[in-house]
Amino acid sequence: MTWLNRDVTEIGGQRLHPETLMMGYGYFPGLSEGSVKCPIFQTSTFVFRSAAEGKRFFELAYGLSEPAPQESAGLIYSRLNNPNLEILEGRLAIWDGAERALAFSSGMAAISTCLFAVCRPGDVVLHSSPVYGGSDYLLEKVLPQFSIRTVGFQAGDGTPALRAAAGEARTQGRVAAIYVETPANPTNALVDLAECVAIARELESSQGFRPLVIVDNTFLGPVWQRPLEHGCDIVVYSLTKYVGGHSDVVAGACVGSRAALEPVHLMRTILGTMTDPHTAWLLMRSLETLELRFRKSVDNAMRVASFLRDHPKVERVAYLGFLDPDSEEGRLYARQCLAPGGTFSFYVRGGEREAFAVLDALQLIKLAVSLGGTESLASHPAAMTHCDVEPDRRAALDIGDNMIRVSIGIENPDDLIADFRQALEVI
Ligand SMILES: Cc1ncc(COP(=O)(O)O)c(C=O)c1O
């Protein structure tokens, strides 16, 4: 009975699966009038039973003292902790098989808080390219203002490019982090996570400090890719995307070991980049259908991507499901990913004019940035999410003017295909 304070995670030797645990893990009805669902704790602050209790809660929250066995941190103030935040974080950690998760007010809040917690002036961040436009701006334009240098390597270029960039990064200072987005937004190019971990270990011997391997797993999510199982240290998410899944919240997360997340947690407390109780509550609702939505969007994406691949007005489709299993990238995909996901890009024959014409002609699929929602969306990375990336770099990264990125939702796939069919007729 989970009335007051016991989570059931195993029954008769059967370990319960994440999708089962999402219905109640970490929530005890006896603490909330028997409500079957966790209420929203819409409060900024919490009452202490005594001044001594308040003192103890602060000691634990600020790491001034270690908790006794069975003792847990008490509730203080919603920038530090809140039941919705804590229950959400417990459930997020389950999907990645992690010790701990931290929820943030956006994906960018998670990424920037994490990098600011890990890097110091004079440090270097080795990173893959392309990455989401906001992350690119943070790496290329913001971190250098704090004397943190960045060295990029192109996702999809394989081990030699990664190793060459690691060598270059080492000459520039202490490499504090290896930041990787795989599959990359918007090209779906892959980075070898095990190789990044191997490089981190080698850097440890040469510089006396092991850089943290931080992976943005927004595209495949914890259902289709588990970077911690490949030895990575911190997984970051824009929960706005597949985890939120309904295009109605903006949120983010960092997931990893307690030790790796401790400085990130401290930085979050000071910057105040945590998520709010209402958003946390909405995300808990989203987690209940996470697996179902992931499966359906992959099935749909495979159908739609196949239609587009065979269409005469489409030059090519960058979908992980179409990688040649005998190619280097195909083998990497097999080692690292569990399914091809629901977001991909395709290149129409022509340029920006043709791509815009197709986007403007769509009737069902909405012309909007973002991805991972129940509804399908289409956008133009070169003119939208990646417009900040210099044109030369964009071209080198294969973010062409004829590229359209689509996020396939959970509609009936025949309807999505009908929409693309009529839209492609206009060019
Ligand atoms: C791969 C990836 N990471 C991070 C972000 C940033 O997330 P947010 O918009 O929640 O700040 C995005 C947003 O599009 C993204 O696509």
Side-chain angles (χ1 to χ4, degrees):
M1 182 66 171
T2 57
W3 180 249
L4 263 183
N5 60 3
R6 193 172 71 84
D7 269 315
V8 176
T9 54
E10 178 252 283
I11 295 177
Q14 159 90 25
R15 238 180 106 198
L16 301 185
H17 294 82
E19 58 271 33
T20 306
L21 293 172
M22 290 309 110
M23 309 312 168
Y25 182 81
Y27 170 66
F28 309 111
L31 297 177
S32 296
E33 305 282 0
S35 169
V36 83
K37 285 294 172 196
C38 177
I40 306 179
F41 289 84
Q42 192 69 50
T43 183
S44 58
T45 194
F46 295 86
V47 178
F48 307 129
R49 270 175 278 209
S50 65
E53 183 183 72
K55 178 182 176 188
R56 181 68 188 145
F57 286 1
F58 268 92
E59 282 170 357
L60 291 175
Y62 284 16
L64 303 175
S65 159
E66 285 301 309
Q70 311 302 327
E71 188 182 24
S72 57
L75 294 163
I76 298 177
Y77 181 69
S78 289
R79 176 159 49 76
L80 277 64
N81 50 19
N82 173 288
N84 294 111
L85 199 61
E86 290 186 344
I87 298 169
L88 169 69
E89 291 172 348
R91 294 185 191 177
L92 284 171
I94 287 173
W95 284 100
D96 279 282
E99 278 177 7
R100 187 163 193 198
L102 296 169
F104 290 84
S105 55
S106 68
M108 285 312 300
I111 295 165
S112 50
T113 305
C114 180
L115 286 174
F116 278 117
V118 166
C119 302
R120 294 291 169 271
D123 281 348
V124 184
V125 178
L126 174 65
H127 71 91
S128 62
S129 282
V131 290
Y132 164 64
S135 310
D136 191 81
Y137 192 90
L138 175 71
L139 290 163
E140 298 297 325
K141 312 255 166 58
V142 178
L143 293 185
Q145 294 176 42
F146 294 83
S147 300
I148 298 163
R149 288 174 217 210
T150 57
V151 174
F153 62 91
Q154 189 152 336
D157 273 6
T159 305
L162 171 54
R163 288 204 162 263
E168 166 64 20
R170 181 68 193 100
T171 63
Q172 301 211 11
R174 182 185 84 139
V175 182
I178 303 179
Y179 180 86
V180 172
E181 189 178 296
T182 180
N185 180 0
T187 57
N188 264 338
L190 297 178
V191 178
D192 189 333
L193 295 177
E195 193 63 31
C196 290
V197 173
I199 289 173
R201 282 200 201 104
E202 288 164 28
L203 284 166
E204 182 178 18
S205 352
S206 71
Q207 64 178 19
F209 171 83
R210 184 182 177 282
L212 291 186
V213 181
I214 304 167
V215 184
D216 184 334
N217 195 28
T218 298
F219 260 43
L220 290 185
V223 177
W224 302 138
Q225 183 168 260
R226 309 221 170 85
L228 299 180
E229 290 176 7
H230 299 273
C232 302
D233 300 289
I234 297 180
V235 184
V236 293
Y237 289 105
S238 168
L239 302 178
T240 315
K241 309 299 186 304
Y242 284 100
V243 175
H246 295 72
S247 304
D248 55 7
V249 295
V250 174
C254 290
V255 183
S257 68
R258 278 180 203 291
L261 289 189
E262 199 41 51
V264 186
H265 185 212
L266 187 69
M267 190 62 85
R268 184 186 73 170
T269 298
I270 298 309
L271 297 183
T273 45
M274 75 295 152
T275 195
D276 65 279
H278 182 237
T279 303
W281 181 85
L282 282 167
L283 288 164
M284 281 195 260
R285 164 171 285 208
S286 296
L287 285 176
E288 295 186 9
T289 56
L290 187 73
E291 224 241 350
L292 288 175
R293 289 184 284 105
F294 263 90
R295 286 193 188 284
K296 175 69 174 161
S297 75
V298 168
D299 289 350
N300 279 1
M302 190 50 114
R303 294 269 309 272
V304 174
S306 301
F307 166 79
L308 291 170
R309 182 184 53 182
D310 299 338
H311 197 286
K313 305 236 176 100
V314 174
E315 192 184 281
R316 66 200 151 99
V317 179
Y319 187 50
L320 291 176
F322 299 155
L323 288 176
D324 173 1
D326 294 326
S327 67
E328 202 184 312
E329 216 172 8
R331 283 192 290 272
L332 173 57
Y333 169 79
R335 287 199 301 278
Q336 199 163 283
C337 313
L338 301 164
T343 297
F344 61 88
S345 294
F346 68 97
Y347 300 75
V348 292
R349 291 194 193 283
E352 184 186 272
R353 196 166 62 87
E354 287 72 17
F356 277 17
V358 171
L359 287 166
D360 290 342
L362 290 169
Q363 294 178 25
L364 167 68
I365 298 158
K366 293 184 177 60
L367 172 51
V369 295
S370 202
L371 55 107
T374 46
E375 73 293 305
S376 297
L377 302 177
S379 63
H380 190 268
M384 298 170 188
T385 45
H386 291 71
C387 68
D388 258 341
V389 180
E390 301 75 28
D392 289 357
R393 255 183 84 221
R394 255 195 337 249
L397 294 169
D398 206 15
I399 305 173
D401 288 338
N402 61 339
M403 174 196 250
I404 292 176
R405 190 189 74 187
V406 288
S407 162
I408 300 298
I410 61 170
E411 303 94 335
N412 186 300
D414 293 339
D415 298 340
L416 299 174
I417 289 170
D419 200 18
F420 275 123
R421 183 180 290 116
Q422 66 78 27
L424 282 160
E425 268 165 24
V426 304
I427 59 171

